[in-house]
Amino acid sequence: MILKYTILFAALFFTACIDNKPEKNLDGKKLLEQKCASCHDLTMPPLLSPNEPAPPIMSVSFHVYDFVKPNDESQRFNTAVEFVVDYVKEPSFEKSICDKESLKQYGLMPSQKEKVTDDETRAIAKYMFTHYTQQNLSEAMKAKAKYDALPQGEKIALKNNCLGCHKVDKDLVGPSFKSIQEKFISSKSAIKESIKNGSKGKWENFRAMMPSYKQLTDEELETLSEWIINLS
């Protein structure tokens, strides 16, 4: 009899553990992109627009984190997360911690309780408060400043993933840009032709086919080939 009840208790115990196991980890970044990007700009620093329907997520994250009022400062993160969970579900002017000008500009956020669960909102908020930080903003601004200082041709090369096959002075899948420069120094049109229409067999030691980049405008082709020709 004792053995019988022991087995029954164990079965009930493990069933309870299974029923109450924590929900599978949710991807806050992916959920943010899926649920929030239609209204909020997610970039950092944000790309401000006069017609944006909602404030940038970075601004929301900074503002909420700074203005929530935890009972204990060590609980600021959790308090901010739970504020977002509650506000997204039941927004109101009374709960809002936005300044009057922002409320006037954007209006009150509509309830999202039919579009996102509490667990999903919690995952989004946790990602917000760990990703949109002053440290990450500082690093993003440094990276942006570094990118902005690049020659326009190099920006086009980065944008179109040219550097995935070519390095400036190192061969990869294809020849280096310096090698291309040396071979076609007097024929920029040949570089433009290869970029636009692709090529194969022009380089003895490279068997991979250069794909066509017909999506580039004539101006971009000119700028990119000019950058390659004038590499120092």
Side-chain angles (χ1 to χ4, degrees):
M1 180 67 71
I2 294 174
L3 178 61
K4 177 180 177 181
Y5 282 111
T6 301
I7 293 171
L8 177 61
F9 174 78
L12 290 171
F13 175 79
F14 286 113
T15 300
C17 288
I18 292 171
D19 289 343
N20 294 299
K21 67 181 180 180
E23 188 170 338
K24 184 179 179 181
N25 288 336
L26 296 170
D27 188 331
K29 180 178 185 293
K30 186 175 292 185
L31 285 166
L32 181 70
E33 293 166 350
Q34 293 172 345
K35 306 286 186 176
C36 308
S38 60
C39 293
H40 298 274
D41 173 36
L42 307 185
T43 56
M44 185 167 61
L47 303 173
L48 299 177
S49 166
N51 300 315
E52 58 193 10
I57 281 292
M58 188 193 82
S59 301
V60 174
S61 181
F62 282 9
H63 192 78
V64 170
Y65 198 83
D66 285 344
F67 282 89
V68 292
K69 298 177 179 178
N71 294 325
D72 180 341
E73 185 58 32
S74 67
Q75 292 301 307
R76 178 170 292 277
F77 183 90
N78 291 334
T79 303
V81 168
E82 294 309 316
F83 173 87
V84 172
V85 173
D86 175 67
Y87 190 84
V88 165
K89 185 167 55 178
E90 298 290 346
S92 70
F93 286 108
E94 291 73 27
K95 291 179 185 176
S96 176
I97 52 178
C98 290
D99 59 90
K100 291 182 179 180
E101 285 302 313
S102 293
L103 285 172
K104 183 178 178 181
Q105 178 181 352
Y106 299 112
L108 185 66
M109 175 183 180
S111 172
Q112 303 297 305
K113 64 182 176 182
E114 301 299 328
K115 299 179 180 179
V116 60
T117 68
D118 285 358
D119 284 341
E120 288 174 333
T121 306
R122 194 168 283 110
I124 289 170
K126 288 179 178 179
Y127 173 76
M128 283 170 51
F129 298 128
T130 53
H131 176 70
Y132 295 94
T133 65
Q134 289 291 346
Q135 180 179 346
N136 286 349
L137 173 60
S138 177
E139 291 175 359
M141 291 184 71
K142 288 178 182 177
K144 184 178 184 302
K146 184 176 180 180
Y147 175 81
D148 289 344
L150 295 175
Q152 194 61 33
E154 189 169 357
K155 291 179 185 177
I156 295 171
L158 285 167
K159 178 183 175 182
N160 290 277
N161 200 30
C162 301
L163 295 169
C165 292
H166 310 272
K167 292 295 183 186
V168 171
D169 52 9
K170 181 181 179 182
D171 296 339
L172 288 178
V173 177
S176 69
F177 285 127
K178 287 285 186 72
S179 297
I180 296 171
Q181 178 196 56
E182 292 172 5
K183 185 170 183 175
F184 297 107
I185 190 65
S186 60
S187 183
K188 185 169 63 177
S189 61
I191 297 178
K192 292 170 66 174
E193 173 67 20
S194 291
I195 296 171
K196 183 175 182 178
N197 297 314
S199 66
K200 186 176 182 180
K202 291 186 177 180
W203 296 83
E204 184 178 345
N205 297 323
F206 300 95
R207 295 183 179 181
M209 183 179 74
M210 165 75 178
S212 63
Y213 283 82
K214 294 183 184 293
Q215 72 271 24
L216 295 180
T217 65
D218 290 341
E219 182 180 355
E220 287 174 324
L221 282 168
E222 176 66 24
T223 302
L224 178 54
S225 57
E226 184 73 22
W227 171 70
I228 295 171
I229 285 289
N230 289 291
L231 283 170
S232 57

